[in-house]
Amino acid sequence: MSFDKLNSPVDLGFTVLKNRVIMGSMHTGLEEEKNGFSKLAAFYAARARGGVGLIITGGIAPDRFGRLAPNSAKMTNHSEVEEHRLITKAVHAEGGKICMQILHAGRYAHHPFALAPSSIQSPINRFAPWSMPFWIVTQTIRRFVRAAKLAQEAGYDGVEVMGSEGYLINQFLTSHTNNRRDEWGRSFDNSSRFATSIVSGIRQAVGRDFIIVYRLSMLDLIEKGQSWSEIELLAKRIEEAGATIINTGIGWHESRIPTIAQMVPRGAYSWVTKRLMGKMRIPLVATNRINTPELAEQLLQEGACDMVSMARPFLADPDFVRKAVSGLSHQINTCVACNQACLDFIFNRKTASCLVNPYACRETELKITPASIIRKIAIIGSGPAGCSAAITLAQRGHRVVLYEAQDKIGGQLNLAAGISGKHEFKETMRYFQVQLNVWNVDVRLSNEFRLIDAQGYDEIIVATGALPRAIDIAGIHHPMVINYRDILEGSVKPAKRVAILGAGGIGIDTAMFLLKGNAEQSVAEFTNQWGIDQAYENRGGLKSATPVENSAQVVYLLQRKPGKIGARLGKTTAWIHRLELKHAGVKIKTGIQYERIHDGGIDISLNGEVQTLAVDQIIVCAGQTSNNKLYNELLSLNIPIHCIGGAVTADELNAHRAIEEGTLLGLKL
Ligand code: NAP
Ligand code: SF4
């Protein structure tokens, strides 16, 4: 496929963007780290080198009240300008352009000085905000302007004003958060003046030749959100106030509708931007779940937008645009929208990285250098750990042979990719396969490694993964008992009445598989399931949801621990799984004990009372154990042996850990 539209320039009058791709704003955590700005400079420079048309930084607060957390970065004085110069210089040296995002968190600020139009607490923040006195409102507008002026001084090509996702500007715009009786509330004209005053104030201060992107909330996805006519009117006023580009914002953070998770179909929100197309003179940008250049080109060709913004795809592959426009789109390391190493890390106060690209945000630390001594290395197992190690070692010049007992690479990724809502993992396997070819790794499929095969290798890496944990319950050997592999690999057909023992990541995935199989949801099915109103008849773009039901299927999901299921899953996705299971009628029981399995099903006890769950199939999803038998055998040989991924320990095993361990070992040998 050619990417003519994607690769066509955008003439903004005073400057030209070389293509139609924006790297959207992402907070990485480096903003607050010691020497973080030099790391950020390397991070953004790599993306500029990779050809993206315009980069937008993570959100920077215009004052201390607007910070998301007490230590979040702000732009308030000349000394802060200095560190930003590191970024702008590095990006410009690579021929890129970059805007600084100005973000005032409003009532989403996680500190006691949170400010908001009205003192209405957010359901996702333990801090209640202070209502902004009149003079603080006008002062805040001036501080947005000051931040933009300082950004200009720091060498940025422009700013993005964050007006969506439920942050301060968005909070002024709906009665959900604004019940003021003064000139900043009561009517649309009043409440929208906060946004337009910020944009016109910035334009006046920075002059004509400076980009102002405005991130417009086009779909609030909350009760009492904005109506479409208000959004359209606001867009026009923002344009009149001096914005150069309008970017799309989807959903407030407190909305209980998924907007970027993996189960959201690709391009599921592009219809929102399309509604505004033809009504504005300035370019409109589509966002959310756009992760391939093919989809981006399609949306541009269809007239759904003038530009596309992708954020996480640039964590996954800094060379996204360069690869696309040079005919190498099959070599792109695709973001799988898992959130596991980006957003979930940020929520855990860790620096962001990427599950499929451990180099992300570590550009100054992790570098591929040629090996000083070329070795012949055998890797056993082609799951995420084995493939990552093989590719990294081959990139460094080693001679690598990858053994795989199955007839395809990928290991457990094959199981995940076969579950509805998790298809993106196919892209990771495609990427691995292409890279193994590019770097001439000798891949031996259907080839079980034996001790005798070890001869002739300088090093051996064992990446044999994990096995289902066997558990001990009375009746566990009953023929109706199987494990998750049997069902996900398709060797056993699901029964109508099923009990799943264990409600961790795999138990939840297995429940989803029973309910939805491996079906890929269409955008229409997704919007119906979650109650998103494409006709936009109601405020916030909401309508009643029609959850997917599979009434023929009875599923019990069981956990011995009390409390909610999926507690160890990522914060950004666990709530979605819980809601989906609830909507689908899965019977979740926690705090139970397993008593006995028998012909009639399984006896469990809850609060001392025994009950029988009448089921025809029991699927054990009780965690995993290391598959390390071969490793232990190999230790008897006089060859350096290494062990990575699930074969080392199955605790807290996930694809992120596996890929990281494979890559780090590959960089070391
Ligand atoms: P897990 O998350 O550790 O869950 C194992 C479940 O089995 C728990 O619910 C546990 O709860 C139960 N269990 C443990 N020992 C048991 C025993 N002896 N008898 C009965 N029940 C027992 O492990 P997993 O589900 O196998 O997942 C493996 C790894 O993959 C995890 O790190 C997981 O986070 C990751 N994963 C992540 C995702 C994702 O979407 N992010 C998806 C799949 C897997 P009780 O002991 O309380 O019953
Ligand atoms: Fe995408 Fe997952 Fe990487 Fe985040 S961690 S950028 S969601 S692949």
PDB file of all heavy atoms in Angstrom, residues 340 422 469 471 502-507 509 558-561 568-569 577 594 621-624 652-654, ligand 1:
ATOM      1  N   GLN A 340       0.033  -1.921  29.275  1.00  0.00           N
ATOM      2  CA  GLN A 340       0.701  -2.555  30.414  1.00  0.00           C
ATOM      3  C   GLN A 340       2.000  -1.877  30.844  1.00  0.00           C
ATOM      4  O   GLN A 340       2.301  -1.843  32.035  1.00  0.00           O
ATOM      5  CB  GLN A 340       0.958  -4.028  30.113  1.00  0.00           C
ATOM      6  CG  GLN A 340      -0.301  -4.867  30.219  1.00  0.00           C
ATOM      7  CD  GLN A 340      -0.054  -6.314  29.862  1.00  0.00           C
ATOM      8  OE1 GLN A 340       0.987  -6.878  30.175  1.00  0.00           O
ATOM      9  NE2 GLN A 340      -0.998  -6.914  29.188  1.00  0.00           N
ATOM     10  N   LYS A 422      -8.282  -9.467  21.873  1.00  0.00           N
ATOM     11  CA  LYS A 422      -6.825  -9.522  22.082  1.00  0.00           C
ATOM     12  C   LYS A 422      -6.074  -9.815  20.773  1.00  0.00           C
ATOM     13  O   LYS A 422      -4.934 -10.262  20.787  1.00  0.00           O
ATOM     14  CB  LYS A 422      -6.480 -10.595  23.118  1.00  0.00           C
ATOM     15  CG  LYS A 422      -7.068 -10.311  24.488  1.00  0.00           C
ATOM     16  CD  LYS A 422      -6.377 -11.061  25.574  1.00  0.00           C
ATOM     17  CE  LYS A 422      -5.722 -10.102  26.536  1.00  0.00           C
ATOM     18  NZ  LYS A 422      -5.052 -10.711  27.645  1.00  0.00           N
ATOM     19  N   ARG A 469      -0.496 -24.593  36.197  1.00  0.00           N
ATOM     20  CA  ARG A 469      -0.252 -25.164  37.525  1.00  0.00           C
ATOM     21  C   ARG A 469      -1.308 -26.244  37.819  1.00  0.00           C
ATOM     22  O   ARG A 469      -2.506 -26.003  37.623  1.00  0.00           O
ATOM     23  CB  ARG A 469      -0.334 -24.065  38.578  1.00  0.00           C
ATOM     24  CG  ARG A 469      -0.156 -24.599  40.002  1.00  0.00           C
ATOM     25  CD  ARG A 469      -0.404 -23.526  41.036  1.00  0.00           C
ATOM     26  NE  ARG A 469       0.718 -22.617  41.144  1.00  0.00           N
ATOM     27  CZ  ARG A 469       0.614 -21.295  41.289  1.00  0.00           C
ATOM     28  NH1 ARG A 469      -0.576 -20.736  41.321  1.00  0.00           N
ATOM     29  NH2 ARG A 469       1.679 -20.534  41.386  1.00  0.00           N
ATOM     30  N   ILE A 471      -3.456 -28.382  40.389  1.00  0.00           N
ATOM     31  CA  ILE A 471      -3.920 -28.129  41.760  1.00  0.00           C
ATOM     32  C   ILE A 471      -4.524 -29.392  42.358  1.00  0.00           C
ATOM     33  O   ILE A 471      -4.879 -30.322  41.636  1.00  0.00           O
ATOM     34  CB  ILE A 471      -4.917 -26.956  41.831  1.00  0.00           C
ATOM     35  CG1 ILE A 471      -6.136 -27.222  40.926  1.00  0.00           C
ATOM     36  CG2 ILE A 471      -4.249 -25.660  41.465  1.00  0.00           C
ATOM     37  CD1 ILE A 471      -7.234 -26.192  41.106  1.00  0.00           C
ATOM     38  N   GLY A 502     -10.021 -20.050  39.370  1.00  0.00           N
ATOM     39  CA  GLY A 502      -8.938 -19.075  39.262  1.00  0.00           C
ATOM     40  C   GLY A 502      -9.402 -17.904  38.421  1.00  0.00           C
ATOM     41  O   GLY A 502      -9.860 -18.084  37.289  1.00  0.00           O
ATOM     42  N   ALA A 503      -9.328 -16.689  38.997  1.00  0.00           N
ATOM     43  CA  ALA A 503      -9.835 -15.505  38.295  1.00  0.00           C
ATOM     44  C   ALA A 503      -8.742 -14.459  38.126  1.00  0.00           C
ATOM     45  O   ALA A 503      -8.951 -13.261  38.290  1.00  0.00           O
ATOM     46  CB  ALA A 503     -11.022 -14.928  39.065  1.00  0.00           C
ATOM     47  N   GLY A 504      -7.524 -14.925  37.771  1.00  0.00           N
ATOM     48  CA  GLY A 504      -6.445 -14.002  37.404  1.00  0.00           C
ATOM     49  C   GLY A 504      -6.596 -13.651  35.930  1.00  0.00           C
ATOM     50  O   GLY A 504      -7.666 -13.849  35.332  1.00  0.00           O
ATOM     51  N   GLY A 505      -5.507 -13.154  35.340  1.00  0.00           N
ATOM     52  CA  GLY A 505      -5.554 -12.734  33.931  1.00  0.00           C
ATOM     53  C   GLY A 505      -6.046 -13.846  33.016  1.00  0.00           C
ATOM     54  O   GLY A 505      -6.890 -13.620  32.135  1.00  0.00           O
ATOM     55  N   ILE A 506      -5.556 -15.062  33.246  1.00  0.00           N
ATOM     56  CA  ILE A 506      -5.915 -16.153  32.328  1.00  0.00           C
ATOM     57  C   ILE A 506      -7.354 -16.619  32.569  1.00  0.00           C
ATOM     58  O   ILE A 506      -8.081 -16.920  31.620  1.00  0.00           O
ATOM     59  CB  ILE A 506      -4.898 -17.308  32.446  1.00  0.00           C
ATOM     60  CG1 ILE A 506      -3.540 -16.820  31.911  1.00  0.00           C
ATOM     61  CG2 ILE A 506      -5.367 -18.538  31.674  1.00  0.00           C
ATOM     62  CD1 ILE A 506      -2.411 -17.822  31.975  1.00  0.00           C
ATOM     63  N   GLY A 507      -7.790 -16.651  33.828  1.00  0.00           N
ATOM     64  CA  GLY A 507      -9.175 -17.020  34.120  1.00  0.00           C
ATOM     65  C   GLY A 507     -10.143 -16.042  33.455  1.00  0.00           C
ATOM     66  O   GLY A 507     -11.151 -16.446  32.857  1.00  0.00           O
ATOM     67  N   ASP A 509      -9.486 -14.066  30.842  1.00  0.00           N
ATOM     68  CA  ASP A 509      -9.389 -14.279  29.382  1.00  0.00           C
ATOM     69  C   ASP A 509     -10.212 -15.489  28.959  1.00  0.00           C
ATOM     70  O   ASP A 509     -10.890 -15.472  27.932  1.00  0.00           O
ATOM     71  CB  ASP A 509      -7.929 -14.540  28.981  1.00  0.00           C
ATOM     72  CG  ASP A 509      -7.136 -13.248  28.823  1.00  0.00           C
ATOM     73  OD1 ASP A 509      -7.737 -12.172  28.942  1.00  0.00           O
ATOM     74  OD2 ASP A 509      -5.918 -13.342  28.588  1.00  0.00           O
ATOM     75  N   LEU A 558     -14.367 -18.338  39.623  1.00  0.00           N
ATOM     76  CA  LEU A 558     -14.192 -18.553  41.072  1.00  0.00           C
ATOM     77  C   LEU A 558     -12.808 -18.135  41.557  1.00  0.00           C
ATOM     78  O   LEU A 558     -11.800 -18.335  40.859  1.00  0.00           O
ATOM     79  CB  LEU A 558     -14.403 -20.041  41.384  1.00  0.00           C
ATOM     80  CG  LEU A 558     -15.700 -20.656  40.835  1.00  0.00           C
ATOM     81  CD1 LEU A 558     -15.740 -22.157  41.118  1.00  0.00           C
ATOM     82  CD2 LEU A 558     -16.917 -19.977  41.449  1.00  0.00           C
ATOM     83  N   GLN A 559     -12.777 -17.592  42.731  1.00  0.00           N
ATOM     84  CA  GLN A 559     -11.505 -17.166  43.329  1.00  0.00           C
ATOM     85  C   GLN A 559     -11.569 -17.392  44.837  1.00  0.00           C
ATOM     86  O   GLN A 559     -12.580 -17.058  45.469  1.00  0.00           O
ATOM     87  CB  GLN A 559     -11.293 -15.684  43.009  1.00  0.00           C
ATOM     88  CG  GLN A 559     -10.076 -15.072  43.667  1.00  0.00           C
ATOM     89  CD  GLN A 559      -9.908 -13.613  43.279  1.00  0.00           C
ATOM     90  OE1 GLN A 559      -9.480 -13.297  42.191  1.00  0.00           O
ATOM     91  NE2 GLN A 559     -10.249 -12.728  44.198  1.00  0.00           N
ATOM     92  N   ARG A 560     -10.503 -17.911  45.405  1.00  0.00           N
ATOM     93  CA  ARG A 560     -10.508 -18.161  46.855  1.00  0.00           C
ATOM     94  C   ARG A 560     -10.331 -16.878  47.660  1.00  0.00           C
ATOM     95  O   ARG A 560     -10.891 -16.713  48.722  1.00  0.00           O
ATOM     96  CB  ARG A 560      -9.406 -19.173  47.211  1.00  0.00           C
ATOM     97  CG  ARG A 560      -9.638 -20.549  46.598  1.00  0.00           C
ATOM     98  CD  ARG A 560      -8.486 -21.470  46.844  1.00  0.00           C
ATOM     99  NE  ARG A 560      -7.232 -20.892  46.370  1.00  0.00           N
ATOM    100  CZ  ARG A 560      -6.040 -21.452  46.543  1.00  0.00           C
ATOM    101  NH1 ARG A 560      -5.933 -22.600  47.210  1.00  0.00           N
ATOM    102  NH2 ARG A 560      -4.966 -20.881  46.075  1.00  0.00           N
ATOM    103  N   LYS A 561      -9.517 -15.990  47.128  1.00  0.00           N
ATOM    104  CA  LYS A 561      -9.306 -14.721  47.851  1.00  0.00           C
ATOM    105  C   LYS A 561     -10.614 -13.945  47.900  1.00  0.00           C
ATOM    106  O   LYS A 561     -11.354 -13.922  46.914  1.00  0.00           O
ATOM    107  CB  LYS A 561      -8.292 -13.849  47.096  1.00  0.00           C
ATOM    108  CG  LYS A 561      -6.851 -14.196  47.333  1.00  0.00           C
ATOM    109  CD  LYS A 561      -5.934 -13.206  46.663  1.00  0.00           C
ATOM    110  CE  LYS A 561      -5.934 -13.275  45.162  1.00  0.00           C
ATOM    111  NZ  LYS A 561      -5.456 -14.506  44.552  1.00  0.00           N
ATOM    112  N   ARG A 568      -4.704  -7.922  40.303  1.00  0.00           N
ATOM    113  CA  ARG A 568      -3.307  -7.743  39.867  1.00  0.00           C
ATOM    114  C   ARG A 568      -3.191  -7.274  38.422  1.00  0.00           C
ATOM    115  O   ARG A 568      -2.093  -7.079  37.911  1.00  0.00           O
ATOM    116  CB  ARG A 568      -2.537  -9.059  40.063  1.00  0.00           C
ATOM    117  CG  ARG A 568      -2.002  -9.190  41.485  1.00  0.00           C
ATOM    118  CD  ARG A 568      -1.457 -10.551  41.795  1.00  0.00           C
ATOM    119  NE  ARG A 568      -0.598 -11.084  40.762  1.00  0.00           N
ATOM    120  CZ  ARG A 568      -0.095 -12.309  40.787  1.00  0.00           C
ATOM    121  NH1 ARG A 568      -0.366 -13.100  41.809  1.00  0.00           N
ATOM    122  NH2 ARG A 568       0.674 -12.755  39.824  1.00  0.00           N
ATOM    123  N   LEU A 569      -4.333  -7.130  37.755  1.00  0.00           N
ATOM    124  CA  LEU A 569      -4.278  -6.641  36.372  1.00  0.00           C
ATOM    125  C   LEU A 569      -4.056  -5.132  36.366  1.00  0.00           C
ATOM    126  O   LEU A 569      -4.223  -4.465  37.383  1.00  0.00           O
ATOM    127  CB  LEU A 569      -5.573  -6.978  35.635  1.00  0.00           C
ATOM    128  CG  LEU A 569      -5.830  -8.461  35.384  1.00  0.00           C
ATOM    129  CD1 LEU A 569      -7.086  -8.630  34.547  1.00  0.00           C
ATOM    130  CD2 LEU A 569      -4.646  -9.121  34.686  1.00  0.00           C
ATOM    131  N   HIS A 577     -12.590  -5.285  32.064  1.00  0.00           N
ATOM    132  CA  HIS A 577     -12.870  -6.724  32.131  1.00  0.00           C
ATOM    133  C   HIS A 577     -13.994  -7.001  33.121  1.00  0.00           C
ATOM    134  O   HIS A 577     -14.904  -7.786  32.847  1.00  0.00           O
ATOM    135  CB  HIS A 577     -11.618  -7.495  32.563  1.00  0.00           C
ATOM    136  CG  HIS A 577     -10.511  -7.435  31.555  1.00  0.00           C
ATOM    137  ND1 HIS A 577     -10.684  -7.778  30.239  1.00  0.00           N
ATOM    138  CD2 HIS A 577      -9.211  -7.089  31.671  1.00  0.00           C
ATOM    139  CE1 HIS A 577      -9.549  -7.633  29.589  1.00  0.00           C
ATOM    140  NE2 HIS A 577      -8.636  -7.209  30.435  1.00  0.00           N
ATOM    141  N   TYR A 594     -12.761 -24.558  47.557  1.00  0.00           N
ATOM    142  CA  TYR A 594     -13.153 -25.683  46.715  1.00  0.00           C
ATOM    143  C   TYR A 594     -13.272 -26.912  47.621  1.00  0.00           C
ATOM    144  O   TYR A 594     -12.338 -27.219  48.362  1.00  0.00           O
ATOM    145  CB  TYR A 594     -12.106 -25.952  45.638  1.00  0.00           C
ATOM    146  CG  TYR A 594     -11.838 -24.736  44.758  1.00  0.00           C
ATOM    147  CD1 TYR A 594     -10.584 -24.116  44.750  1.00  0.00           C
ATOM    148  CD2 TYR A 594     -12.833 -24.207  43.958  1.00  0.00           C
ATOM    149  CE1 TYR A 594     -10.341 -23.005  43.957  1.00  0.00           C
ATOM    150  CE2 TYR A 594     -12.604 -23.087  43.162  1.00  0.00           C
ATOM    151  CZ  TYR A 594     -11.357 -22.488  43.163  1.00  0.00           C
ATOM    152  OH  TYR A 594     -11.132 -21.383  42.386  1.00  0.00           O
ATOM    153  N   CYS A 621      -7.583 -22.547  35.885  1.00  0.00           N
ATOM    154  CA  CYS A 621      -6.769 -21.378  35.501  1.00  0.00           C
ATOM    155  C   CYS A 621      -6.092 -20.882  36.779  1.00  0.00           C
ATOM    156  O   CYS A 621      -6.244 -19.727  37.179  1.00  0.00           O
ATOM    157  CB  CYS A 621      -7.644 -20.279  34.928  1.00  0.00           C
ATOM    158  SG  CYS A 621      -8.565 -20.744  33.474  1.00  0.00           S
ATOM    159  N   ALA A 622      -5.384 -21.783  37.448  1.00  0.00           N
ATOM    160  CA  ALA A 622      -4.865 -21.501  38.789  1.00  0.00           C
ATOM    161  C   ALA A 622      -3.390 -21.092  38.744  1.00  0.00           C
ATOM    162  O   ALA A 622      -2.598 -21.504  39.580  1.00  0.00           O
ATOM    163  CB  ALA A 622      -5.057 -22.720  39.670  1.00  0.00           C
ATOM    164  N   GLY A 623      -3.032 -20.286  37.752  1.00  0.00           N
ATOM    165  CA  GLY A 623      -1.655 -19.829  37.665  1.00  0.00           C
ATOM    166  C   GLY A 623      -0.781 -20.806  36.892  1.00  0.00           C
ATOM    167  O   GLY A 623      -1.270 -21.775  36.297  1.00  0.00           O
ATOM    168  N   GLN A 624       0.515 -20.532  36.939  1.00  0.00           N
ATOM    169  CA  GLN A 624       1.453 -21.296  36.112  1.00  0.00           C
ATOM    170  C   GLN A 624       2.693 -21.676  36.910  1.00  0.00           C
ATOM    171  O   GLN A 624       2.979 -21.087  37.955  1.00  0.00           O
ATOM    172  CB  GLN A 624       1.875 -20.425  34.923  1.00  0.00           C
ATOM    173  CG  GLN A 624       0.693 -19.983  34.090  1.00  0.00           C
ATOM    174  CD  GLN A 624       1.108 -19.047  32.969  1.00  0.00           C
ATOM    175  OE1 GLN A 624       1.820 -18.075  33.183  1.00  0.00           O
ATOM    176  NE2 GLN A 624       0.673 -19.351  31.770  1.00  0.00           N
ATOM    177  N   GLU A 652       4.213 -13.539  38.377  1.00  0.00           N
ATOM    178  CA  GLU A 652       4.117 -12.226  37.727  1.00  0.00           C
ATOM    179  C   GLU A 652       4.589 -12.276  36.279  1.00  0.00           C
ATOM    180  O   GLU A 652       5.120 -11.296  35.763  1.00  0.00           O
ATOM    181  CB  GLU A 652       4.957 -11.171  38.492  1.00  0.00           C
ATOM    182  CG  GLU A 652       4.609 -11.009  39.945  1.00  0.00           C
ATOM    183  CD  GLU A 652       3.378 -10.149  40.169  1.00  0.00           C
ATOM    184  OE1 GLU A 652       3.120  -9.249  39.379  1.00  0.00           O
ATOM    185  OE2 GLU A 652       2.651 -10.430  41.143  1.00  0.00           O
ATOM    186  N   LEU A 653       4.414 -13.441  35.658  1.00  0.00           N
ATOM    187  CA  LEU A 653       4.859 -13.557  34.271  1.00  0.00           C
ATOM    188  C   LEU A 653       3.889 -12.817  33.366  1.00  0.00           C
ATOM    189  O   LEU A 653       2.692 -12.960  33.484  1.00  0.00           O
ATOM    190  CB  LEU A 653       4.916 -15.035  33.860  1.00  0.00           C
ATOM    191  CG  LEU A 653       5.216 -15.282  32.370  1.00  0.00           C
ATOM    192  CD1 LEU A 653       6.608 -14.783  32.011  1.00  0.00           C
ATOM    193  CD2 LEU A 653       5.070 -16.750  32.028  1.00  0.00           C
ATOM    194  N   ASN A 654       4.416 -12.022  32.476  1.00  0.00           N
ATOM    195  CA  ASN A 654       3.591 -11.476  31.396  1.00  0.00           C
ATOM    196  C   ASN A 654       4.509 -11.166  30.226  1.00  0.00           C
ATOM    197  O   ASN A 654       5.733 -11.285  30.328  1.00  0.00           O
ATOM    198  CB  ASN A 654       2.799 -10.234  31.855  1.00  0.00           C
ATOM    199  CG  ASN A 654       3.700  -9.154  32.391  1.00  0.00           C
ATOM    200  OD1 ASN A 654       4.814  -8.970  31.908  1.00  0.00           O
ATOM    201  ND2 ASN A 654       3.229  -8.442  33.399  1.00  0.00           N
TER     202      ASN A 654
HETATM  203  P1  NAP B   1      -2.648 -15.282  38.272  1.00  0.00           P
HETATM  204  O1  NAP B   1      -3.011 -13.922  37.800  1.00  0.00           O
HETATM  205  O2  NAP B   1      -1.638 -15.429  39.312  1.00  0.00           O
HETATM  206  O3  NAP B   1      -4.007 -15.964  38.737  1.00  0.00           O
HETATM  207  C1  NAP B   1      -4.050 -17.246  39.210  1.00  0.00           C
HETATM  208  C2  NAP B   1      -5.406 -17.521  39.855  1.00  0.00           C
HETATM  209  O4  NAP B   1      -5.421 -18.836  40.322  1.00  0.00           O
HETATM  210  C3  NAP B   1      -5.711 -16.623  41.020  1.00  0.00           C
HETATM  211  O5  NAP B   1      -7.051 -16.149  40.844  1.00  0.00           O
HETATM  212  C4  NAP B   1      -5.571 -17.513  42.251  1.00  0.00           C
HETATM  213  O6  NAP B   1      -6.574 -17.048  43.091  1.00  0.00           O
HETATM  214  C5  NAP B   1      -5.775 -18.911  41.695  1.00  0.00           C
HETATM  215  N1  NAP B   1      -4.912 -19.924  42.316  1.00  0.00           N
HETATM  216  C6  NAP B   1      -3.585 -19.865  42.547  1.00  0.00           C
HETATM  217  N2  NAP B   1      -3.151 -21.000  43.116  1.00  0.00           N
HETATM  218  C7  NAP B   1      -4.225 -21.806  43.243  1.00  0.00           C
HETATM  219  C8  NAP B   1      -4.403 -23.109  43.768  1.00  0.00           C
HETATM  220  N3  NAP B   1      -3.412 -23.808  44.258  1.00  0.00           N
HETATM  221  N4  NAP B   1      -5.648 -23.625  43.745  1.00  0.00           N
HETATM  222  C9  NAP B   1      -6.676 -22.926  43.241  1.00  0.00           C
HETATM  223  N5  NAP B   1      -6.558 -21.686  42.738  1.00  0.00           N
HETATM  224  C10 NAP B   1      -5.341 -21.133  42.743  1.00  0.00           C
HETATM  225  O7  NAP B   1      -2.147 -16.157  37.064  1.00  0.00           O
HETATM  226  P2  NAP B   1      -2.741 -16.418  35.630  1.00  0.00           P
HETATM  227  O8  NAP B   1      -4.176 -16.078  35.531  1.00  0.00           O
HETATM  228  O9  NAP B   1      -2.312 -17.798  35.317  1.00  0.00           O
HETATM  229  O10 NAP B   1      -1.931 -15.434  34.724  1.00  0.00           O
HETATM  230  C11 NAP B   1      -0.535 -15.628  34.541  1.00  0.00           C
HETATM  231  C12 NAP B   1       0.150 -14.316  34.299  1.00  0.00           C
HETATM  232  O11 NAP B   1      -0.249 -13.755  33.068  1.00  0.00           O
HETATM  233  C13 NAP B   1      -0.179 -13.288  35.378  1.00  0.00           C
HETATM  234  O12 NAP B   1       0.981 -12.567  35.702  1.00  0.00           O
HETATM  235  C14 NAP B   1      -1.186 -12.401  34.710  1.00  0.00           C
HETATM  236  O13 NAP B   1      -1.184 -11.089  35.223  1.00  0.00           O
HETATM  237  C15 NAP B   1      -0.724 -12.461  33.256  1.00  0.00           C
HETATM  238  N6  NAP B   1      -1.863 -12.209  32.371  1.00  0.00           N
HETATM  239  C16 NAP B   1      -2.235 -10.936  32.151  1.00  0.00           C
HETATM  240  C17 NAP B   1      -3.318 -10.665  31.350  1.00  0.00           C
HETATM  241  C18 NAP B   1      -3.735  -9.253  31.058  1.00  0.00           C
HETATM  242  O14 NAP B   1      -4.730  -9.020  30.411  1.00  0.00           O
HETATM  243  N7  NAP B   1      -3.004  -8.271  31.486  1.00  0.00           N
HETATM  244  C19 NAP B   1      -4.034 -11.691  30.787  1.00  0.00           C
HETATM  245  C20 NAP B   1      -3.631 -13.012  31.033  1.00  0.00           C
HETATM  246  C21 NAP B   1      -2.550 -13.255  31.848  1.00  0.00           C
HETATM  247  P3  NAP B   1      -6.993 -17.726  44.457  1.00  0.00           P
HETATM  248  O15 NAP B   1      -5.769 -18.453  44.939  1.00  0.00           O
HETATM  249  O16 NAP B   1      -7.413 -16.620  45.349  1.00  0.00           O
HETATM  250  O17 NAP B   1      -8.132 -18.605  44.094  1.00  0.00           O
END
